Amino acid sequence: SEGGISGGASAMHRAAVRVPARIAHLLRRQPQLVAPAVEAFYGRDAAAMKAASRMELFPAEDMVMVSITFNRALYAQLKQQEFQGLPGFPLPATGSPDFPAAELGMKVTAGF
């Protein structure tokens, strides 16, 4: 384990998410932004969700798929949180193969 990075890759998780194009652009340029977005989503309150539900900065018009690298703790926080959804955020049916990426993307979007 040269350089002290043993176990680093196993502590990371890549997942496909469907997000507004503006968020995808931000995450491609600055992937470290996923951590504060997940933390903001996880620690959300009613006022934060009211602001997020307006989706003024990141409208759900131009949705794209992007692959995000999370540390396992952030991924678990995002995956396990119950969330009723964002008005206007398009979600496929829960049985659809696209649902997991859309649901994760909605949670990431809410964090932004």
Side-chain angles (χ1 to χ4, degrees), residues 52-69:
S53 70
R54 289 192 297 268
M55 295 188 64
E56 293 170 344
L57 294 175
F58 303 106
E61 297 161 352
D62 190 11
M63 304 297 286
V64 297
M65 292 291 280
V66 64
S67 181
I68 298 178
T69 301

Side-chain angles (χ1 to χ4, degrees), residues 17-55:
V17 299
R18 189 170 58 114
V19 295
R22 291 177 66 186
I23 290 176
H25 177 74
L26 285 171
L27 290 172
R28 284 186 193 113
R29 294 185 62 139
Q30 298 182 9
Q32 72 276 12
L33 291 176
V34 75
V38 171
E39 289 166 6
F41 171 75
Y42 191 73
R44 70 196 182 279
D45 60 16
M49 281 298 84
K50 186 175 179 182
S53 70
R54 289 192 297 268
M55 295 188 64

Side-chain angles (χ1 to χ4, degrees), residues 81-99:
Q81 271 291 304
E82 292 293 323
F83 187 51
Q84 296 305 312
L86 289 172
F89 194 97
L91 281 177
T94 54
S96 165
D98 295 330
F99 183 80

